[in-house]
Amino acid sequence: MTPPLFRRAALRGAALAVTTGAAVTPHAIAGPTETRGEQARESFTVRDNRRRQRVLADTRRPPVIIGGKVIPAEQRKGPEDGTYLIFNDENGSERGGIVAGASQASFSLDYVNAQAITLGTQWQGEHGAAALFFKQMPDPRLPVEQTPPMPTRVELVWSTGDGAVLALNDSKGRPRIVLSVDAQDVPSIRVLDENGAVVTSLPG
């Protein structure tokens, strides 16, 4: 395969930073400032009248709450001291969020037990990239700890080094149709087989 399909991996790490609307009631609370040694942690939590988390704003990587289970913050990808805004459903399970760091930012929406859509960007110096990923939906009956990694079915990526690339993938996450306009403004369309070999291409 060509380099654009491999170089998306660096951005994918940033785009997956967030895993996976309540009205403020009289029971909603603002989380107090917590102190970890000499470093303060600022966070704000909106809870519904059943005391379930509905919105969390945090200045450190928070844990993930899905199906009543709390997954440690260490298992969430993303910058430790980034800005996190997490959205939870009426059962308290995480359903999406926004993360912003010094060199990356992303927004995601989730299925019941896995990430569904991720929009992310990453940059360093004069180099940067932006991407939109659509994931295949897993069996919604599976608990999150038993849900296998889901393949990415659609990838739209732009980077300073590779230009713009749209990849349509099969059920195993293998690129099958790739449209691109590289950094030198050269367009191409490729159809690939299950082994990554080019079957048809334009220009020929």
Side-chain angles (χ1 to χ4, degrees), residues 27-52:
H27 297 281
I29 64 168
T33 300
E34 301 174 12
T35 303
R36 294 183 178 181
E38 297 180 355
Q39 187 173 13
R41 170 182 175 176
E42 297 289 344
S43 66
F44 179 86
T45 305
V46 176
R47 301 184 188 278
D48 61 20
N49 56 8
R50 293 173 296 172
R51 310 298 294 169
R52 290 176 176 172

PDB file of all heavy atoms in Angstrom, residues 27-52:
ATOM      1  N   HIS A  27     -30.360  19.126  41.989  1.00  0.00           N
ATOM      2  CA  HIS A  27     -29.431  18.142  42.535  1.00  0.00           C
ATOM      3  C   HIS A  27     -28.086  18.169  41.836  1.00  0.00           C
ATOM      4  O   HIS A  27     -27.175  17.456  42.220  1.00  0.00           O
ATOM      5  CB  HIS A  27     -30.036  16.743  42.411  1.00  0.00           C
ATOM      6  CG  HIS A  27     -31.287  16.581  43.211  1.00  0.00           C
ATOM      7  ND1 HIS A  27     -31.280  16.368  44.561  1.00  0.00           N
ATOM      8  CD2 HIS A  27     -32.592  16.613  42.831  1.00  0.00           C
ATOM      9  CE1 HIS A  27     -32.540  16.255  44.996  1.00  0.00           C
ATOM     10  NE2 HIS A  27     -33.342  16.409  43.971  1.00  0.00           N
ATOM     11  N   ALA A  28     -27.973  18.955  40.757  1.00  0.00           N
ATOM     12  CA  ALA A  28     -26.699  19.012  40.053  1.00  0.00           C
ATOM     13  C   ALA A  28     -25.652  19.638  40.950  1.00  0.00           C
ATOM     14  O   ALA A  28     -25.939  20.534  41.737  1.00  0.00           O
ATOM     15  CB  ALA A  28     -26.859  19.839  38.771  1.00  0.00           C
ATOM     16  N   ILE A  29     -24.421  19.144  40.826  1.00  0.00           N
ATOM     17  CA  ILE A  29     -23.363  19.668  41.676  1.00  0.00           C
ATOM     18  C   ILE A  29     -22.162  20.046  40.842  1.00  0.00           C
ATOM     19  O   ILE A  29     -21.965  19.544  39.744  1.00  0.00           O
ATOM     20  CB  ILE A  29     -22.931  18.641  42.745  1.00  0.00           C
ATOM     21  CG1 ILE A  29     -22.315  17.393  42.076  1.00  0.00           C
ATOM     22  CG2 ILE A  29     -24.084  18.243  43.621  1.00  0.00           C
ATOM     23  CD1 ILE A  29     -21.627  16.484  43.052  1.00  0.00           C
ATOM     24  N   ALA A  30     -21.380  20.936  41.350  1.00  0.00           N
ATOM     25  CA  ALA A  30     -20.101  21.267  40.757  1.00  0.00           C
ATOM     26  C   ALA A  30     -19.035  20.610  41.594  1.00  0.00           C
ATOM     27  O   ALA A  30     -18.964  20.833  42.795  1.00  0.00           O
ATOM     28  CB  ALA A  30     -19.902  22.787  40.726  1.00  0.00           C
ATOM     29  N   GLY A  31     -18.219  19.787  40.941  1.00  0.00           N
ATOM     30  CA  GLY A  31     -17.177  19.091  41.682  1.00  0.00           C
ATOM     31  C   GLY A  31     -16.180  20.069  42.246  1.00  0.00           C
ATOM     32  O   GLY A  31     -15.784  21.030  41.578  1.00  0.00           O
ATOM     33  N   PRO A  32     -15.734  19.889  43.466  1.00  0.00           N
ATOM     34  CA  PRO A  32     -14.781  20.806  44.075  1.00  0.00           C
ATOM     35  C   PRO A  32     -13.381  20.607  43.503  1.00  0.00           C
ATOM     36  O   PRO A  32     -13.100  19.626  42.844  1.00  0.00           O
ATOM     37  CB  PRO A  32     -14.821  20.391  45.557  1.00  0.00           C
ATOM     38  CG  PRO A  32     -15.161  18.933  45.511  1.00  0.00           C
ATOM     39  CD  PRO A  32     -16.103  18.778  44.361  1.00  0.00           C
ATOM     40  N   THR A  33     -12.537  21.569  43.760  1.00  0.00           N
ATOM     41  CA  THR A  33     -11.139  21.434  43.375  1.00  0.00           C
ATOM     42  C   THR A  33     -10.490  20.345  44.213  1.00  0.00           C
ATOM     43  O   THR A  33     -10.607  20.329  45.424  1.00  0.00           O
ATOM     44  CB  THR A  33     -10.392  22.768  43.591  1.00  0.00           C
ATOM     45  OG1 THR A  33     -11.007  23.771  42.794  1.00  0.00           O
ATOM     46  CG2 THR A  33      -8.930  22.641  43.231  1.00  0.00           C
ATOM     47  N   GLU A  34      -9.812  19.425  43.544  1.00  0.00           N
ATOM     48  CA  GLU A  34      -9.129  18.345  44.233  1.00  0.00           C
ATOM     49  C   GLU A  34      -7.631  18.582  44.166  1.00  0.00           C
ATOM     50  O   GLU A  34      -7.118  19.090  43.179  1.00  0.00           O
ATOM     51  CB  GLU A  34      -9.469  17.000  43.584  1.00  0.00           C
ATOM     52  CG  GLU A  34     -10.961  16.698  43.593  1.00  0.00           C
ATOM     53  CD  GLU A  34     -11.263  15.439  42.821  1.00  0.00           C
ATOM     54  OE1 GLU A  34     -10.309  14.723  42.492  1.00  0.00           O
ATOM     55  OE2 GLU A  34     -12.450  15.174  42.561  1.00  0.00           O
ATOM     56  N   THR A  35      -6.932  18.217  45.198  1.00  0.00           N
ATOM     57  CA  THR A  35      -5.493  18.426  45.241  1.00  0.00           C
ATOM     58  C   THR A  35      -4.757  17.096  45.214  1.00  0.00           C
ATOM     59  O   THR A  35      -5.047  16.201  45.981  1.00  0.00           O
ATOM     60  CB  THR A  35      -5.080  19.192  46.508  1.00  0.00           C
ATOM     61  OG1 THR A  35      -5.789  20.429  46.547  1.00  0.00           O
ATOM     62  CG2 THR A  35      -3.595  19.452  46.527  1.00  0.00           C
ATOM     63  N   ARG A  36      -3.840  16.956  44.279  1.00  0.00           N
ATOM     64  CA  ARG A  36      -2.972  15.788  44.194  1.00  0.00           C
ATOM     65  C   ARG A  36      -1.559  16.274  44.490  1.00  0.00           C
ATOM     66  O   ARG A  36      -0.873  16.791  43.616  1.00  0.00           O
ATOM     67  CB  ARG A  36      -3.030  15.158  42.807  1.00  0.00           C
ATOM     68  CG  ARG A  36      -4.385  14.567  42.453  1.00  0.00           C
ATOM     69  CD  ARG A  36      -4.314  13.910  41.110  1.00  0.00           C
ATOM     70  NE  ARG A  36      -5.589  13.291  40.757  1.00  0.00           N
ATOM     71  CZ  ARG A  36      -5.791  12.621  39.632  1.00  0.00           C
ATOM     72  NH1 ARG A  36      -4.812  12.487  38.771  1.00  0.00           N
ATOM     73  NH2 ARG A  36      -6.968  12.086  39.379  1.00  0.00           N
ATOM     74  N   GLY A  37      -1.106  16.110  45.688  1.00  0.00           N
ATOM     75  CA  GLY A  37       0.187  16.653  46.076  1.00  0.00           C
ATOM     76  C   GLY A  37       0.113  18.152  46.006  1.00  0.00           C
ATOM     77  O   GLY A  37      -0.744  18.775  46.616  1.00  0.00           O
ATOM     78  N   GLU A  38       1.015  18.754  45.201  1.00  0.00           N
ATOM     79  CA  GLU A  38       1.008  20.202  45.066  1.00  0.00           C
ATOM     80  C   GLU A  38       0.256  20.638  43.815  1.00  0.00           C
ATOM     81  O   GLU A  38       0.135  21.823  43.543  1.00  0.00           O
ATOM     82  CB  GLU A  38       2.453  20.709  45.010  1.00  0.00           C
ATOM     83  CG  GLU A  38       3.243  20.425  46.297  1.00  0.00           C
ATOM     84  CD  GLU A  38       4.647  20.944  46.200  1.00  0.00           C
ATOM     85  OE1 GLU A  38       5.033  21.426  45.120  1.00  0.00           O
ATOM     86  OE2 GLU A  38       5.380  20.874  47.200  1.00  0.00           O
ATOM     87  N   GLN A  39      -0.245  19.659  43.034  1.00  0.00           N
ATOM     88  CA  GLN A  39      -0.908  20.001  41.783  1.00  0.00           C
ATOM     89  C   GLN A  39      -2.417  19.958  41.958  1.00  0.00           C
ATOM     90  O   GLN A  39      -2.985  18.953  42.369  1.00  0.00           O
ATOM     91  CB  GLN A  39      -0.487  19.026  40.680  1.00  0.00           C
ATOM     92  CG  GLN A  39      -1.014  19.421  39.314  1.00  0.00           C
ATOM     93  CD  GLN A  39      -0.448  18.544  38.217  1.00  0.00           C
ATOM     94  OE1 GLN A  39       0.132  17.511  38.503  1.00  0.00           O
ATOM     95  NE2 GLN A  39      -0.612  18.955  36.976  1.00  0.00           N
ATOM     96  N   ALA A  40      -3.088  21.072  41.664  1.00  0.00           N
ATOM     97  CA  ALA A  40      -4.543  21.134  41.798  1.00  0.00           C
ATOM     98  C   ALA A  40      -5.202  20.579  40.554  1.00  0.00           C
ATOM     99  O   ALA A  40      -4.690  20.714  39.455  1.00  0.00           O
ATOM    100  CB  ALA A  40      -4.978  22.571  42.039  1.00  0.00           C
ATOM    101  N   ARG A  41      -6.343  19.951  40.753  1.00  0.00           N
ATOM    102  CA  ARG A  41      -7.132  19.442  39.640  1.00  0.00           C
ATOM    103  C   ARG A  41      -8.479  20.131  39.668  1.00  0.00           C
ATOM    104  O   ARG A  41      -9.204  20.050  40.644  1.00  0.00           O
ATOM    105  CB  ARG A  41      -7.301  17.931  39.759  1.00  0.00           C
ATOM    106  CG  ARG A  41      -8.319  17.366  38.772  1.00  0.00           C
ATOM    107  CD  ARG A  41      -8.489  15.891  38.955  1.00  0.00           C
ATOM    108  NE  ARG A  41      -9.560  15.385  38.092  1.00  0.00           N
ATOM    109  CZ  ARG A  41      -9.864  14.099  37.994  1.00  0.00           C
ATOM    110  NH1 ARG A  41      -9.191  13.216  38.691  1.00  0.00           N
ATOM    111  NH2 ARG A  41     -10.838  13.706  37.200  1.00  0.00           N
ATOM    112  N   GLU A  42      -8.795  20.804  38.585  1.00  0.00           N
ATOM    113  CA  GLU A  42     -10.069  21.494  38.489  1.00  0.00           C
ATOM    114  C   GLU A  42     -11.035  20.633  37.679  1.00  0.00           C
ATOM    115  O   GLU A  42     -10.706  20.186  36.581  1.00  0.00           O
ATOM    116  CB  GLU A  42      -9.890  22.851  37.813  1.00  0.00           C
ATOM    117  CG  GLU A  42      -9.003  23.826  38.576  1.00  0.00           C
ATOM    118  CD  GLU A  42      -9.654  24.366  39.839  1.00  0.00           C
ATOM    119  OE1 GLU A  42     -10.884  24.232  39.968  1.00  0.00           O
ATOM    120  OE2 GLU A  42      -8.947  24.915  40.674  1.00  0.00           O
ATOM    121  N   SER A  43     -12.237  20.386  38.202  1.00  0.00           N
ATOM    122  CA  SER A  43     -13.236  19.631  37.472  1.00  0.00           C
ATOM    123  C   SER A  43     -14.622  20.137  37.832  1.00  0.00           C
ATOM    124  O   SER A  43     -14.831  20.730  38.891  1.00  0.00           O
ATOM    125  CB  SER A  43     -13.128  18.140  37.776  1.00  0.00           C
ATOM    126  OG  SER A  43     -13.455  17.872  39.122  1.00  0.00           O
ATOM    127  N   PHE A  44     -15.563  19.884  36.936  1.00  0.00           N
ATOM    128  CA  PHE A  44     -16.945  20.294  37.144  1.00  0.00           C
ATOM    129  C   PHE A  44     -17.834  19.169  36.656  1.00  0.00           C
ATOM    130  O   PHE A  44     -17.684  18.696  35.525  1.00  0.00           O
ATOM    131  CB  PHE A  44     -17.234  21.577  36.372  1.00  0.00           C
ATOM    132  CG  PHE A  44     -18.651  22.066  36.508  1.00  0.00           C
ATOM    133  CD1 PHE A  44     -19.017  22.866  37.573  1.00  0.00           C
ATOM    134  CD2 PHE A  44     -19.617  21.719  35.569  1.00  0.00           C
ATOM    135  CE1 PHE A  44     -20.327  23.315  37.704  1.00  0.00           C
ATOM    136  CE2 PHE A  44     -20.921  22.162  35.693  1.00  0.00           C
ATOM    137  CZ  PHE A  44     -21.284  22.964  36.762  1.00  0.00           C
ATOM    138  N   THR A  45     -18.753  18.696  37.493  1.00  0.00           N
ATOM    139  CA  THR A  45     -19.626  17.582  37.144  1.00  0.00           C
ATOM    140  C   THR A  45     -21.086  17.994  37.269  1.00  0.00           C
ATOM    141  O   THR A  45     -21.484  18.574  38.281  1.00  0.00           O
ATOM    142  CB  THR A  45     -19.373  16.368  38.069  1.00  0.00           C
ATOM    143  OG1 THR A  45     -17.994  16.015  38.021  1.00  0.00           O
ATOM    144  CG2 THR A  45     -20.211  15.175  37.634  1.00  0.00           C
ATOM    145  N   VAL A  46     -21.871  17.685  36.247  1.00  0.00           N
ATOM    146  CA  VAL A  46     -23.318  17.883  36.297  1.00  0.00           C
ATOM    147  C   VAL A  46     -23.951  16.512  36.503  1.00  0.00           C
ATOM    148  O   VAL A  46     -23.695  15.577  35.739  1.00  0.00           O
ATOM    149  CB  VAL A  46     -23.846  18.515  35.000  1.00  0.00           C
ATOM    150  CG1 VAL A  46     -25.371  18.616  35.041  1.00  0.00           C
ATOM    151  CG2 VAL A  46     -23.238  19.894  34.792  1.00  0.00           C
ATOM    152  N   ARG A  47     -24.758  16.385  37.561  1.00  0.00           N
ATOM    153  CA  ARG A  47     -25.442  15.124  37.862  1.00  0.00           C
ATOM    154  C   ARG A  47     -26.948  15.341  37.803  1.00  0.00           C
ATOM    155  O   ARG A  47     -27.444  16.431  38.088  1.00  0.00           O
ATOM    156  CB  ARG A  47     -25.039  14.606  39.247  1.00  0.00           C
ATOM    157  CG  ARG A  47     -23.545  14.369  39.401  1.00  0.00           C
ATOM    158  CD  ARG A  47     -23.219  13.766  40.759  1.00  0.00           C
ATOM    159  NE  ARG A  47     -21.787  13.707  40.977  1.00  0.00           N
ATOM    160  CZ  ARG A  47     -20.990  12.751  40.516  1.00  0.00           C
ATOM    161  NH1 ARG A  47     -21.521  11.758  39.817  1.00  0.00           N
ATOM    162  NH2 ARG A  47     -19.700  12.768  40.743  1.00  0.00           N
ATOM    163  N   ASP A  48     -27.681  14.277  37.448  1.00  0.00           N
ATOM    164  CA  ASP A  48     -29.129  14.385  37.426  1.00  0.00           C
ATOM    165  C   ASP A  48     -29.693  14.085  38.809  1.00  0.00           C
ATOM    166  O   ASP A  48     -28.940  13.923  39.781  1.00  0.00           O
ATOM    167  CB  ASP A  48     -29.729  13.479  36.341  1.00  0.00           C
ATOM    168  CG  ASP A  48     -29.412  12.004  36.556  1.00  0.00           C
ATOM    169  OD1 ASP A  48     -29.072  11.609  37.701  1.00  0.00           O
ATOM    170  OD2 ASP A  48     -29.519  11.228  35.594  1.00  0.00           O
ATOM    171  N   ASN A  49     -31.039  14.020  38.929  1.00  0.00           N
ATOM    172  CA  ASN A  49     -31.630  13.833  40.253  1.00  0.00           C
ATOM    173  C   ASN A  49     -31.428  12.428  40.817  1.00  0.00           C
ATOM    174  O   ASN A  49     -31.800  12.167  41.951  1.00  0.00           O
ATOM    175  CB  ASN A  49     -33.122  14.191  40.232  1.00  0.00           C
ATOM    176  CG  ASN A  49     -33.884  13.398  39.184  1.00  0.00           C
ATOM    177  OD1 ASN A  49     -33.347  12.487  38.565  1.00  0.00           O
ATOM    178  ND2 ASN A  49     -35.141  13.768  38.990  1.00  0.00           N
ATOM    179  N   ARG A  50     -30.843  11.529  39.997  1.00  0.00           N
ATOM    180  CA  ARG A  50     -30.483  10.200  40.497  1.00  0.00           C
ATOM    181  C   ARG A  50     -28.996  10.125  40.828  1.00  0.00           C
ATOM    182  O   ARG A  50     -28.460   9.058  41.061  1.00  0.00           O
ATOM    183  CB  ARG A  50     -30.846   9.130  39.463  1.00  0.00           C
ATOM    184  CG  ARG A  50     -32.358   8.984  39.250  1.00  0.00           C
ATOM    185  CD  ARG A  50     -32.640   8.045  38.101  1.00  0.00           C
ATOM    186  NE  ARG A  50     -32.134   8.585  36.839  1.00  0.00           N
ATOM    187  CZ  ARG A  50     -32.115   7.906  35.686  1.00  0.00           C
ATOM    188  NH1 ARG A  50     -32.563   6.677  35.648  1.00  0.00           N
ATOM    189  NH2 ARG A  50     -31.651   8.470  34.594  1.00  0.00           N
ATOM    190  N   ARG A  51     -28.328  11.291  40.797  1.00  0.00           N
ATOM    191  CA  ARG A  51     -26.905  11.426  41.117  1.00  0.00           C
ATOM    192  C   ARG A  51     -26.004  10.786  40.068  1.00  0.00           C
ATOM    193  O   ARG A  51     -24.847  10.481  40.332  1.00  0.00           O
ATOM    194  CB  ARG A  51     -26.594  10.830  42.503  1.00  0.00           C
ATOM    195  CG  ARG A  51     -27.500  11.290  43.621  1.00  0.00           C
ATOM    196  CD  ARG A  51     -27.410  12.785  43.842  1.00  0.00           C
ATOM    197  NE  ARG A  51     -26.101  13.183  44.338  1.00  0.00           N
ATOM    198  CZ  ARG A  51     -25.670  14.438  44.424  1.00  0.00           C
ATOM    199  NH1 ARG A  51     -26.449  15.425  44.040  1.00  0.00           N
ATOM    200  NH2 ARG A  51     -24.471  14.709  44.904  1.00  0.00           N
ATOM    201  N   ARG A  52     -26.511  10.592  38.876  1.00  0.00           N
ATOM    202  CA  ARG A  52     -25.713  10.019  37.813  1.00  0.00           C
ATOM    203  C   ARG A  52     -25.010  11.120  37.029  1.00  0.00           C
ATOM    204  O   ARG A  52     -25.587  12.157  36.738  1.00  0.00           O
ATOM    205  CB  ARG A  52     -26.590   9.185  36.868  1.00  0.00           C
ATOM    206  CG  ARG A  52     -27.094   7.909  37.516  1.00  0.00           C
ATOM    207  CD  ARG A  52     -28.027   7.153  36.611  1.00  0.00           C
ATOM    208  NE  ARG A  52     -28.415   5.882  37.219  1.00  0.00           N
ATOM    209  CZ  ARG A  52     -29.335   5.076  36.735  1.00  0.00           C
ATOM    210  NH1 ARG A  52     -29.976   5.395  35.631  1.00  0.00           N
ATOM    211  NH2 ARG A  52     -29.631   3.944  37.349  1.00  0.00           N
TER     212      ARG A  52
END
